[in-house]
Amino acid sequence: MARDNAQRKHRVSMLDIATAAHVSPSTASRALNGHPKVSDEARKAVLDAAEKLGYVRNLGAASLASSQSNTIGLLIRDVGNQFYGGLASHVQAETDRYGFDLLLATGGDSVESQMRAVRNLLGHGVGGIIIASGRVAAQVADYAAKFVPTVVLASGLELPSLNSVRIDPQMEAKLAHIVVDHGHRNIAVTASSDSLASALHARIANFLTELIVAGAETTIISLANDDTDIDKKIDEVLDSGATAIMAGNDSIALSVLEYLDSAGIACPGEVSVTGFDGIGPYRSSLFGLTTVEQPIDKLAHEAVKLMSRHLHDESPHTSQVLVRGRFIEGRTLGSVRGSAN
Amino acid sequence: MARDNAQRKHRVSMLDIATAAHVSPSTASRALNGHPKVSDEARKAVLDAAEKLGYVRNLGAASLASSQSNTIGLLIRDVGNQFYGGLASHVQAETDRYGFDLLLATGGDSVESQMRAVRNLLGHGVGGIIIASGRVAAQVADYAAKFVPTVVLASGLELPSLNSVRIDPQMEAKLAHIVVDHGHRNIAVTASSDSLASALHARIANFLTELIVAGAETTIISLANDDTDIDKKIDEVLDSGATAIMAGNDSIALSVLEYLDSAGIACPGEVSVTGFDGIGPYRSSLFGLTTVEQPIDKLAHEAVKLMSRHLHDESPHTSQVLVRGRFIEGRTLGSVRGSAN
DNA sequence: CTGAAAGCGCTTACAG
DNA sequence: CTGAAAGCGCTTACAG
């Protein structure tokens, strides 16, 4: 209680507690790690001493000595992004359940910064890495996989050499199909000009494939990262006769809705809009956005489960897991005038 | 390129690169750390070898040996929360600028889980800890501060013994004042029944103080964490004559707006609503929410700056930094009928 | 400018 | 069940 406050220098070490508990460092270590072959006496003495002295285990030293690690790293592109932030939150919950410690690192948009983040995680001795980002370069994932078990989560990357967990592409096809079923035959799809945006690219590709197969005419709205030009581009596709806009995600859909609102263009009266992700405020009934909900809880669950298997078993084969999403019926998708619903 | 893929066991160590570069480990270490007193020859040889061999420095071992650390830890309650997620993202950007590595840990709602997160960070040898959470127990912050420099960010905690950075409470007062200026005299304020929600508590207290001083009548809407009962509570305060509801943050404000919308109660016609935070989709013109924008970029900037000072200087005194926010005029705050605006 | 040596805090065969 | 000892990968006075 009444301790000097400038004494944050000397951290109490395992040796300190071994001494206090009158046992050897070996026994202290074993007791602290819940090793079975320790007498109850010894265990209690050690645990009490640790508690009393406020011991904090030096994880770096521990994993150095054991060349094992109980902590897994999560590389996230941007926790400021509602979807990935939510995903991270669920991954946290899952690793908790499994008893792993979680270390998050965020890697910006460049390959370089992602590499740095991975190296940072690796440097801290994580036993495995989960990469949750719509913008991973395959090269970053490959690099990580060279060192520790790696699973790529909710990204567009799906190489046979990589473990991955993502939403079933069926959902993307299904959404496209639903739009067509509403009578739309001229449909604009937003695309990203960012080469790293693999999740978006994969999604758009799935949309387009389905639309084309269904015989719809498609237009692409190419968006840069912070596109301020979106208004003009929307006007253009509208002029060219598009009756629906399928946005790559809810955030983009929201930008579209905002523009339509400001321009006095009725939605879905004049043009329908769909999103993707279905997370947080984007789900608000006030928006009424027609979208697909990505099951971030299940995605996180599968990712950690897969990681756990790789950490424990020797199963050296990689796997690609798909989880189902859910269609959210909103008010922004309407039927084309004069068509059957 | 064509390496065996099962060989992820042996990581290349500094010794490997020292050998490859024909120098001693000492020199290798110095070269890698950018130590000035190394010949250009040696430095180049080492750096080349490191690059070629794909060296990843073991940060744990490094900080173990030097008892120093260049990485700082960020404890975040929930990155799934738009505000804290965004804040984390900015903190990341700032630590990058300063050349720190960042490790994130998320601590759930309980003191216990927060403690665990802090211990985890500490165990990984971080040199300092930033706690960004609206729900920190003072005890957690105190604990962290016992070991490393600690700054509490955007929380309600503001003890003289703790470094803190938060939005100027003036902004909270100002918002309350603006509401009164719109002629409202009977105002409901949402409050949280969660004892850990210090940021919310501080905010509510500031609202109430200002409202009471301004002579308004106030009612408190007490909300549990996942309150499903919010509808009834809103009805009650409306029945009792409230003409405005000041929500503790935008997310709560959104819930209120959704209910009003579903119940067909006009906003701001029959009742005005304000939020707080002003981040991301909550800022959408489609909501038109009247709120206050927290300057997360500045908050992050000040927090990291403060941390940096504590890491480098010896300045042992703690400081409390306040940054200004910005009032966002939306459409959800209206004037009371028959009052001056 | 460079190396040999000791040590950071832990774990883990190895021998009791 | 327990301890002495060696070693994990690094850094840093200390002596050249």
Side-chain angles (χ1 to χ4, degrees), chain B residues 252-274:
Chain B
I252 298 173
L254 185 53
S255 301
V256 174
L257 289 177
E258 285 173 350
Y259 170 65
L260 294 179
D261 181 62
S262 74
I265 303 172
C267 169
E270 299 178 59
V271 58
S272 289
V273 176
T274 63

Side-chain angles (χ1 to χ4, degrees), chain B residues 106-176:
Chain B
T106 67
D109 288 335
S110 69
V111 171
E112 194 189 345
S113 111
Q114 292 177 175
M115 279 298 212
R116 199 184 147 197
V118 167
R119 226 173 274 123
N120 190 209
L121 248 18
L122 249 19
H124 280 286
V126 299
I129 292 184
I130 296 178
I131 302 183
S133 165
R135 308 196 179 183
V136 233
Q139 131 192 40
V140 173
D142 278 337
Y143 180 75
K146 260 202 283 223
F147 297 95
V148 295
T150 299
V151 3
V152 164
L153 178 56
S155 104
L157 247 43
E158 210 173 346
L159 288 64
S161 64
L162 251 29
N163 290 297
S164 65
V165 175
R166 63 155 291 176
I167 188 173
D168 191 334
Q170 287 279 103
M171 290 311 298
E172 290 154 357
K174 181 178 174 185
L175 181 61

Side-chain angles (χ1 to χ4, degrees), chain B residues 48-273:
Chain B
D48 285 354
E51 167 73 18
K52 177 148 66 124
L53 271 38
Y55 173 64
V56 176
R57 194 223 248 66
N58 183 326
L59 266 17
S63 81
L64 180 58
S66 69
S67 61
Q68 280 194 39
S69 167
N70 191 44
T71 111
I72 91 162
L74 175 60
L75 173 62
I76 273 251
R77 179 178 145 257
D78 183 6
V79 287
N81 177 135
Q82 186 76 219
F83 175 68
Y84 287 103
L87 197 50
S89 171
H90 283 274
V91 168
Q92 169 76 245
E94 286 299 319
T95 50
D96 273 5
R97 284 196 335 124
Y98 277 82
F100 294 124
D101 283 324
L102 217 223
L103 240 34
L104 275 171
T106 67
D109 288 335
S110 69
V111 171
E112 194 189 345
S113 111
Q114 292 177 175
M115 279 298 212
R116 199 184 147 197
V118 167
R119 226 173 274 123
N120 190 209
L121 248 18
L122 249 19
H124 280 286
V126 299
I129 292 184
I130 296 178
I131 302 183
S133 165
R135 308 196 179 183
V136 233
Q139 131 192 40
V140 173
D142 278 337
Y143 180 75
K146 260 202 283 223
F147 297 95
V148 295
T150 299
V151 3
V152 164
L153 178 56
S155 104
L157 247 43
E158 210 173 346
L159 288 64
S161 64
L162 251 29
N163 290 297
S164 65
V165 175
R166 63 155 291 176
I167 188 173
D168 191 334
Q170 287 279 103
M171 290 311 298
E172 290 154 357
K174 181 178 174 185
L175 181 61
H177 211 90
I178 291 177
V179 172
V180 172
D181 276 353
H182 277 69
H184 297 277
R185 289 296 174 271
N186 186 335
I187 300 165
V189 172
T190 72
S192 169
S193 60
D194 179 344
S195 68
L196 251 36
S198 50
L200 236 36
H201 293 157
R203 181 124 73 231
I204 299 319
N206 288 333
F207 284 166
L208 289 175
T209 306
E210 188 66 19
L211 292 176
I212 291 167
V213 168
E217 193 175 321
T218 60
T219 321
I220 290 177
I221 305 179
S222 179
L223 264 25
N225 262 343
D226 282 327
D227 210 314
T228 47
D229 233 24
I230 185 169
D231 300 1
K232 272 181 210 134
K233 293 177 177 170
I234 294 177
D235 277 339
E236 281 172 26
V237 300
L238 256 32
D239 284 347
S240 77
T243 59
I245 298 177
M246 296 188 71
N249 60 226
D250 292 345
S251 171
I252 298 173
L254 185 53
S255 301
V256 174
L257 289 177
E258 285 173 350
Y259 170 65
L260 294 179
D261 181 62
S262 74
I265 303 172
C267 169
E270 299 178 59
V271 58
S272 289
V273 176

Side-chain angles (χ1 to χ4, degrees), chain A residues 32-200:
Chain A
L32 256 9
N33 287 314
H35 200 97
K37 300 188 167 306
V38 180
S39 69
D40 288 349
E41 279 185 284
R43 185 188 315 282
K44 186 174 185 325
V46 169
L47 263 25
D48 285 353
E51 168 72 19
K52 178 149 64 122
L53 270 40
Y55 173 63
V56 177
R57 197 227 241 65
N58 183 326
L59 266 16
S63 80
L64 181 57
S66 69
S67 61
Q68 280 193 41
S69 167
N70 191 43
T71 112
I72 92 163
L74 175 60
L75 172 61
I76 274 251
R77 179 178 145 257
D78 183 5
V79 287
N81 177 134
Q82 186 76 218
F83 175 68
Y84 288 102
L87 197 51
S89 172
H90 283 274
V91 169
Q92 168 76 244
E94 286 299 319
T95 50
D96 272 5
R97 285 195 335 125
Y98 277 82
F100 294 124
D101 283 324
L102 218 223
L103 239 33
L104 274 171
T106 67
D109 288 335
S110 69
V111 171
E112 193 190 345
S113 111
Q114 292 178 175
M115 277 300 211
R116 198 185 148 197
V118 167
R119 226 173 273 124
N120 189 208
L121 248 18
L122 249 19
H124 280 286
V126 299
I129 292 185
I130 297 178
I131 302 183
S133 165
R135 308 197 179 182
V136 232
Q139 131 192 39
V140 173
D142 279 336
Y143 180 76
K146 260 202 285 225
F147 297 95
V148 295
T150 298
V151 3
V152 164
L153 178 57
S155 104
L157 246 44
E158 211 172 345
L159 288 64
S161 64
L162 249 30
N163 289 297
S164 65
V165 175
R166 62 156 290 176
I167 188 172
D168 192 333
Q170 287 278 104
M171 290 311 298
E172 289 154 359
K174 182 178 173 187
L175 181 61
H177 212 91
I178 291 177
V179 172
V180 172
D181 277 352
H182 277 70
H184 297 278
R185 289 296 175 271
N186 186 334
I187 300 166
V189 173
T190 71
S192 169
S193 60
D194 179 344
S195 68
L196 250 36
S198 50
L200 235 37

Side-chain angles (χ1 to χ4, degrees), chain A residues 123-294:
Chain A
H124 280 286
V126 299
I129 292 185
I130 297 178
I131 302 183
S133 165
R135 308 197 179 182
V136 232
Q139 131 192 39
V140 173
D142 279 336
Y143 180 76
K146 260 202 285 225
F147 297 95
V148 295
T150 298
V151 3
V152 164
L153 178 57
S155 104
L157 246 44
E158 211 172 345
L159 288 64
S161 64
L162 249 30
N163 289 297
S164 65
V165 175
R166 62 156 290 176
I167 188 172
D168 192 333
Q170 287 278 104
M171 290 311 298
E172 289 154 359
K174 182 178 173 187
L175 181 61
H177 212 91
I178 291 177
V179 172
V180 172
D181 277 352
H182 277 70
H184 297 278
R185 289 296 175 271
N186 186 334
I187 300 166
V189 173
T190 71
S192 169
S193 60
D194 179 344
S195 68
L196 250 36
S198 50
L200 235 37
H201 293 157
R203 182 125 72 231
I204 299 318
N206 288 332
F207 284 165
L208 289 176
T209 305
E210 188 67 19
L211 292 176
I212 291 166
V213 168
E217 193 176 323
T218 61
T219 322
I220 290 179
I221 305 179
S222 179
L223 263 25
N225 262 344
D226 282 328
D227 210 315
T228 47
D229 233 24
I230 186 169
D231 299 2
K232 273 182 209 132
K233 293 175 177 170
I234 294 176
D235 277 339
E236 281 171 27
V237 300
L238 256 32
D239 284 346
S240 77
T243 59
I245 298 177
M246 296 187 72
N249 60 226
D250 292 344
S251 171
I252 298 173
L254 185 53
S255 302
V256 174
L257 290 177
E258 285 174 351
Y259 171 65
L260 295 178
D261 181 61
S262 73
I265 302 172
C267 168
E270 299 178 57
V271 58
S272 289
V273 175
T274 63
F276 209 92
D277 286 355
I279 303 297
Y282 296 106
R283 275 284 286 285
S284 172
S285 60
L286 259 25
F287 289 144
L289 187 59
T290 296
T291 185
V292 168
E293 177 186 346
Q294 291 219 52

